[in-house]
């Protein structure tokens, strides 16, 4: 079991207690106190502000609050140049009203638009990650993934969650999540703000980062990006799957909670995802936390 982030304060106290006293002990108060997390690639927890510095010494930082009482920290500081916004599966098939009644997905659209606008201002790369399969993908599709879209073959009529990947959908909507089809397109209110400067990646699994040789994985590696902000649907499926893989590959993961949504009801799915991300996999913030994040310019902090 992964240790929870609620133990941060204890780690802080232990680390400060272990510092050697050199000269007058009162001089210690003038030393910037931080706790390093990680090996060669590090975060620093700033005890005074209860924030994590993920900027890796950058002079430019955005300060994102993320404190709801369960995390024992007040968010993080990120380097805009090393950050991307990853918008996952906000496609017609998943959220268009003619396909299904995805209340949370529709509700997430407006906050996501606000976040995109701030990303444009800060030159943060916007990435659209969507299902977009072809015949080659179907040939190697794992049975478990196919089953997730075809739970009951006897009910494969009309459009819905379980019609089968690649199956022909009604009303000229194309084959299910087929690259280039209408149902695989980005939902119009978001498509309207997409630009040629954005990046577009297809995926053929719930996670978009399962394959280290995939196009998105290679881009992140080659560009030197370190921090990923997550938006999209479904919170407990494709968003969480991609986020956990990102966490395992060493990226900083920030879930923008109100920019995500799920159709899983009655199980506390979204709340459980928020908790696990906030206390283990990374951070959870809101669109307002990011949109209102102050930008600071300073010298790199000489961490202990």
């Amino acid at each position: 079991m992964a240790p929870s982030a609620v133990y941060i304060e204890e780690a802080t106290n232990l680390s400060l207690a272990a510092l050697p006293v050199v000269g007058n002990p009162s001089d210690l108060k003038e030393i910037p106190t931080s706790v390093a997390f990680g090996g060669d690639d590090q975060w620093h927890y700033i005890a005074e502000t209860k924030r994590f510095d993920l900027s890796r010494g950058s002079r430019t930082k955005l300060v994102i609050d993320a404190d709801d009482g369960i995390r024992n920290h007040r968010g993080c500081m990120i380097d805009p140049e090393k950050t991307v916004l990853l918008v996952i599966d906000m496609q017609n098939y998943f959220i268009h009203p003619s396909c299904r009644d995805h209340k949370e997905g529709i509700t997430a659209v407006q906050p996501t638009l606000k976040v995109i606008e701030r990303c444009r201002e800060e030159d943060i790369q916007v990435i659209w990650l969507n299902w977009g399969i072809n015949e080659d993908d179907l040939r190697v599709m794992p049975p478990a993934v196919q089953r997730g879209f075809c739970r009951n073959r006897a009910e494969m009529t009309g459009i819905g969650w379980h019609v089968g990947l690649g199956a022909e959908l009604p009303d000229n909507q194309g084959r299910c999540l087929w690259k280039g089809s209408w149902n695989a397109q980005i939902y119009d209110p978001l498509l309207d703000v997409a630009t040629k400067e954005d990046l577009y990646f297809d995926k053929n699994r719930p996670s978009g980062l399962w394959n280290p040789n995939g196009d998105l994985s290679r881009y992140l590696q080659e560009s030197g990006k370190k921090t990923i902000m997550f938006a999209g649907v479904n919170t407990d499926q494709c968003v969480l799957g991609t986020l956990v893989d990102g966490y395992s590959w060493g990226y900083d993961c920030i879930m923008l909670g109100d920019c995500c949504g799920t159709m899983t009801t009655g199980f506390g799915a979204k709340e459980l995802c928020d908790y696990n991300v906030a206390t283990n996999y990374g951070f959870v913030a809101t669109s307002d936390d990011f949109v209102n994040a102050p930008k600071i310019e300073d010298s790199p902090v000489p961490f202990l």
Side-chain angles (χ1 to χ4, degrees):
M1 182 179 74
S4 171
V6 297
Y7 296 113
I8 288 171
E9 190 163 319
E10 295 178 21
T12 303
N13 292 336
L14 287 172
S15 297
L16 295 181
L19 287 174
V21 177
V22 180
N24 187 340
S26 65
D27 292 341
L28 285 176
K29 66 183 180 182
E30 300 176 3
I31 301 175
T33 57
S34 70
V35 180
F37 288 79
D40 294 335
D41 181 34
Q42 293 186 336
W43 294 353
H44 287 87
Y45 176 70
I46 313 301
E48 182 179 0
T49 62
K50 287 192 172 184
R51 288 193 179 94
F52 283 87
D53 189 342
L54 317 183
S55 71
R56 296 160 176 85
S58 171
R59 294 177 180 273
T60 302
K61 302 176 178 68
L62 294 180
V63 183
I64 303 175
D65 278 326
D67 185 11
D68 67 0
I70 68 169
R71 297 162 190 153
N72 198 34
H73 61 76
R74 287 193 48 78
C76 57
M77 296 184 288
I78 65 172
D79 176 3
E81 188 175 346
K82 291 185 173 69
T83 299
V84 301
L85 171 67
L86 193 60
V87 185
I88 300 173
D89 292 355
M90 294 295 269
Q91 298 167 267
N92 288 327
Y93 179 78
F94 293 109
I95 63 174
H96 194 285
S98 69
C99 297
R100 64 186 41 76
D101 184 17
H102 200 316
K103 293 183 174 65
E104 288 192 10
I106 295 297
T107 300
V109 170
Q110 194 58 42
T112 302
L113 290 172
K114 293 192 305 180
V115 167
I116 291 172
E117 183 177 356
R118 179 69 193 274
C119 286
R120 306 283 193 224
E121 295 172 2
E122 302 298 339
D123 291 325
I124 291 175
Q125 181 66 62
V126 176
I127 300 176
W128 304 90
L129 176 64
N130 296 315
W131 279 93
I133 63 172
N134 56 32
E135 293 290 357
D136 290 334
D137 293 321
L138 279 186
R139 276 193 290 269
V140 297
M141 191 68 65
V145 176
Q146 183 72 301
R147 186 186 68 164
F149 289 84
C150 187
R151 187 166 54 195
N152 188 344
R153 295 185 67 86
E155 296 177 1
M156 285 178 57
T157 57
I159 190 167
W161 279 108
H162 308 291
V163 299
L165 285 170
E168 194 68 42
L169 302 178
D171 303 323
N172 297 316
Q173 292 171 345
R175 295 177 68 179
C176 180
L177 294 177
W178 206 254
K179 183 175 176 63
S181 66
W182 174 87
N183 73 91
Q185 288 179 6
I186 298 168
Y187 182 50
D188 276 349
L190 293 164
L191 184 60
D192 288 344
V193 302
T195 70
K196 60 183 176 56
E197 286 77 25
D198 296 345
L199 298 178
Y200 304 82
F201 293 100
D202 297 319
K203 64 186 179 75
N204 55 13
R205 299 289 191 279
S207 169
L209 288 172
W210 71 278
N211 181 0
N213 296 314
D215 291 342
L216 175 58
S217 295
R218 288 202 306 270
Y219 164 75
L220 292 172
Q221 294 162 19
E222 294 168 3
S223 66
K225 303 298 185 183
K226 294 302 300 181
T227 302
I228 306 175
M229 299 189 299
F230 291 82
V233 296
N234 282 296
T235 311
D236 53 326
Q237 297 171 21
C238 294
V239 175
L240 183 65
T242 306
L243 186 149
V244 172
D245 279 341
Y247 155 86
S248 296
W249 288 115
Y251 295 102
D252 315 332
C253 298
I254 303 173
M255 178 182 283
L256 300 173
D258 59 333
C259 296
C260 300
T262 184
M263 290 189 72
T264 305
T265 59
F267 300 100
K270 193 172 191 301
E271 292 77 12
L272 184 58
C273 288
D274 284 359
Y275 178 81
N276 281 325
V277 172
T279 59
N280 283 305
Y281 302 134
F283 303 86
V284 178
T286 67
S287 59
D288 284 341
D289 292 334
F290 173 71
V291 169
N292 298 322
K295 184 176 185 178
I296 61 175
E297 304 273 355
D298 63 6
S299 299
V301 177
F303 293 113
L304 291 174

